[in-house]
Amino acid sequence: MLEVEVKYRVNDLSVIEGKLAGWRPQPRRYEVDHYFNAPDRDFARTDEALRVRTVNEKNFLTYKGPRRDPQTKTRFELELPLADGPHASAQWRELLSRLGYRPTGVVSKSRRPFTSNRHGFELAASLDEVNEVGTFVEIEVVTDETQFQGAKDLVLRMAQELGLNNPERRSYLELLLGKERTAFQFHVVSTVAELQREIATAKKRSVKVGFVPTMGALHAGHAALIDRARAECGYVVVSIFVNPTQFGPKEDFAKYPRTLHEDVDLCREHGVDLIFTPSVDTIYPRGFVNHVEVGQLATVFEGAIRPGHFRGVATIVLKLFNMVQADVAYFGQKDAQQVAVVRQLIRDFDVPVQLVVVPTVREADGLALSSRNRYLDATLRKEATVLSAALFAARQAVQNGERCSATIRQIMSTIVAQAPHVVLDYATVVDSETFREPQSLTGQALAIVAARFGDTRLIDNMEIGGDA
Ligand code: AMP
């Protein structure tokens, strides 16, 4: 079907309401639209849109094609009903994310529709109050191709009759993103004073502050965290700091990739507002002595193999949380044990931040993106796919009814061992909060794997289900 639509910015909706006397008022609706961008093309360029819409309790999946004429916002539209309720909406959004669709923005509005029949068309006029964007009137007719011209003439005539004269062709999403992007200037800062000055400016405008801590050498995995923060927050801060205290003496701190110029470009492209790139002396000035001691989680798997690693992680994360004072912090599922440590840290120290965990971004052949993948030569790069292959096999086994941890471990290590140059550190199944290994899978289980390919150590994990 075609949605033949015009939209006008208005200052006072009550003036327009007064002119809709002959129209039938419909109940007020609260609409929340979660928009996504495609993995294979940029909807901003192709002028398409995909969203999960919630109207009161009802959910819909909507696709919109490109706008097709310069005067109206007419476009092909397909809107399909989904199951009701917030859980269904969250699940559909998760499905889209897992398929590579990136959340780009959330538009929420209160809408008062009025309807009227004119010249054989069902006309709808909506008085919209859109969060952070403004007040608008939309007039639309849903029709088919053959009726396009008649419908277009009618909506334009209605707009004239209602005295609407400030047309807006941009979608609410474009208006929202445009507003957020231009509201703050992009800054790269390296001192705590500059960081806090910029954040204080943002907070004065009552925007939500999202924070993505990284060690730089940014890739599409980091970009997924940034995109999620961009979609959910008015102000996005990324820190780039290769933290020496989380590297062991024999680890790759000195040779860890540092690509600040490219990182700044990626951040700018993804709409980051502020990059914080402190020096080691800024973070650990002379006289710095205290560290966060991590409990049980620091004694197993990554904690056991990399002594001191989580002490370094927890210390830097707590420091950054205190410096940035973000509302929401974004971490990758890729580093699942780190997520467990950070969750415990937030809980134990009452850090007033919400933790959002973003699904792992993978290459087409399954390898999880990592800054360390660039160390791999062609042979090792190919071999490294055994990690994700082992995780997928573990998940398949659970789907087929397997519940014995030892059997799942065996399946995973057999697959990893197929790589000629691999040294396996561990391949097992744990509880995702405690990282304890159950004998048999009862609740939701996490398969985890770590191995060395030459000098390069890679880790990966996957939720594999179990009996919830
Ligand atoms: P790093 O720069 O390696 O410290 O990573 C910074 C953040 O990006 C951490 O929260 C990681 O878990 C996350 N991250 C790294 N790789 C990926 C990936 N492939 N997918 C999703 N998140 C990732």
Side-chain angles (χ1 to χ4, degrees):
M1 292 301 269
L2 277 186
E3 183 192 51
V4 183
E5 179 185 297
V6 286
K7 175 161 74 194
Y8 295 82
R9 197 180 268 278
V10 294
N11 292 329
D12 188 351
L13 287 174
S14 63
V15 173
I16 306 299
E17 194 178 348
K19 296 181 182 175
L20 290 171
W23 295 56
R24 291 185 299 279
Q26 307 295 327
R28 186 190 283 270
R29 300 146 54 127
Y30 295 95
E31 298 183 347
V32 180
D33 295 334
H34 288 264
Y35 283 90
F36 289 83
N37 204 346
D40 60 338
R41 57 194 191 272
D42 181 4
F43 282 167
R45 291 216 175 90
T46 58
D47 193 25
E48 294 166 283
L50 180 71
R51 70 176 179 218
V52 175
R53 162 169 283 191
T54 303
V55 184
N56 303 334
E57 273 290 288
K58 302 232 168 282
N59 298 311
F60 303 87
L61 185 67
T62 317
Y63 166 81
K64 294 190 184 210
R67 274 158 279 213
R68 20 182 302 167
D69 86 288
Q71 281 168 301
T72 67
K73 296 172 65 243
T74 302
R75 47 211 306 193
F76 171 81
E77 180 180 311
L78 197 58
E79 187 155 84
L80 308 172
L82 309 173
D84 293 353
H87 184 58
S89 161
Q91 283 194 315
W92 276 94
R93 284 184 274 127
E94 180 173 351
L95 175 76
L96 291 172
S97 295
R98 283 179 187 262
L99 291 174
Y101 287 79
R102 286 169 286 120
T104 46
V106 182
V107 175
S108 45
K109 62 177 170 299
S110 154
R111 166 165 271 186
R112 264 184 310 143
F114 292 76
T115 54
S116 174
N117 293 337
R118 306 272 169 112
H119 308 294
F121 289 107
E122 164 106 355
L123 264 171
S126 302
L127 309 190
D128 291 349
E129 294 164 57
V130 187
N131 264 4
E132 295 185 43
V133 177
T135 46
F136 299 82
V137 175
E138 279 193 351
I139 304 175
E140 77 166 42
V141 167
V142 177
T143 184
D144 60 29
E145 277 303 330
T146 58
Q147 307 279 335
F148 169 58
Q149 195 56 47
K152 177 178 163 183
D153 292 345
L154 181 64
V155 294
L156 289 170
R157 205 164 57 242
M158 279 301 123
Q160 216 176 10
E161 267 182 31
L162 294 172
L164 300 168
N165 52 17
N166 191 0
E168 179 53 78
R169 270 190 99 240
R170 285 170 295 176
S171 67
Y172 290 137
L173 178 68
E174 287 164 333
L175 292 167
L176 182 77
L177 295 181
K179 185 177 166 212
E180 285 178 351
R181 296 262 159 101
T182 53
F184 299 101
Q185 262 194 332
F186 177 65
H187 286 291
V188 182
V189 299
S190 52
T191 67
V192 181
E194 290 168 302
L195 171 82
Q196 292 184 333
R197 192 183 60 220
E198 294 305 325
I199 291 172
T201 310
K203 288 203 164 185
K204 266 194 209 129
R205 299 207 217 162
S206 310
V207 292
K208 210 188 219 188
V209 175
F211 175 42
V212 182
T214 80
M215 297 205 299
L218 302 183
H219 49 64
H222 299 108
L225 271 60
I226 294 169
D227 289 346
R228 178 77 176 266
R230 182 72 276 168
E232 295 178 351
C233 303
Y235 193 77
V236 176
V237 184
V238 171
S239 65
I240 297 176
F241 179 62
V242 185
N243 175 36
T245 66
Q246 69 190 70
F247 287 80
K250 293 205 182 109
E251 292 183 1
D252 57 345
F253 173 68
K255 76 161 193 177
Y256 195 83
R258 289 160 171 89
T259 58
L260 187 60
H261 283 294
E262 289 87 339
D263 292 351
V264 169
D265 287 346
L266 181 143
C267 285
R268 204 198 297 267
E269 277 163 27
H270 287 263
V272 168
D273 297 297
L274 182 64
I275 299 181
F276 179 46
T277 63
S279 67
V280 173
D281 288 342
T282 297
I283 297 292
Y284 302 112
R286 192 195 289 266
F288 179 93
V289 288
N290 288 312
H291 287 84
V292 176
E293 284 310 330
V294 176
Q296 186 273 138
L297 277 166
T299 64
V300 291
F301 303 109
E302 288 309 288
I305 291 169
R306 306 181 66 186
H309 171 66
F310 285 127
R311 179 183 197 254
V313 168
T315 304
I316 184 65
V317 169
L318 185 59
K319 278 180 73 80
L320 290 169
F321 279 168
N322 284 334
M323 289 172 179
V324 176
Q325 306 267 318
D327 298 289
V328 193
Y330 295 84
F331 285 79
Q333 173 66 30
K334 159 77 170 50
D335 298 285
Q337 199 172 349
Q338 171 170 285
V339 166
V341 167
V342 171
R343 183 172 284 128
Q344 186 74 42
L345 178 81
I346 290 172
R347 204 183 293 148
D348 287 351
F349 293 100
D350 308 294
V351 184
V353 72
Q354 181 200 340
L355 174 64
V356 169
V357 182
V358 177
T360 302
V361 177
R362 299 177 179 282
E363 301 280 8
D365 63 5
L367 180 69
L369 265 57
S370 161
S371 305
R372 291 188 169 99
N373 290 352
R374 66 187 76 197
Y375 299 150
L376 301 168
D377 65 22
T379 308
L380 295 178
R381 166 66 187 80
K382 234 178 175 170
E383 288 188 20
T385 55
V386 293
L387 299 184
S388 57
L391 297 169
F392 284 117
R395 192 166 69 181
Q396 190 59 54
V398 175
Q399 275 166 12
N400 294 346
E402 185 55 66
R403 292 293 180 273
C404 170
S405 299
T407 309
I408 297 169
R409 270 200 295 278
Q410 186 59 45
I411 291 169
M412 291 170 71
S413 41
T414 307
I415 292 178
V416 174
Q418 287 167 2
H421 300 98
V422 75
V423 179
L424 179 65
D425 281 341
Y426 56 79
T428 188
V429 182
V430 295
D431 174 278
S432 61
E433 289 225 345
T434 61
F435 274 67
R436 289 187 213 281
E437 293 174 278
Q439 286 206 332
S440 65
L441 275 59
T442 46
Q444 274 291 328
L446 188 74
I448 57 173
V449 63
R452 277 166 287 149
F453 298 84
D455 292 336
T456 306
R457 194 167 173 279
L458 300 178
I459 60 172
D460 199 355
N461 70 87
M462 194 175 285
E463 279 163 6
I464 58 170
D467 299 318

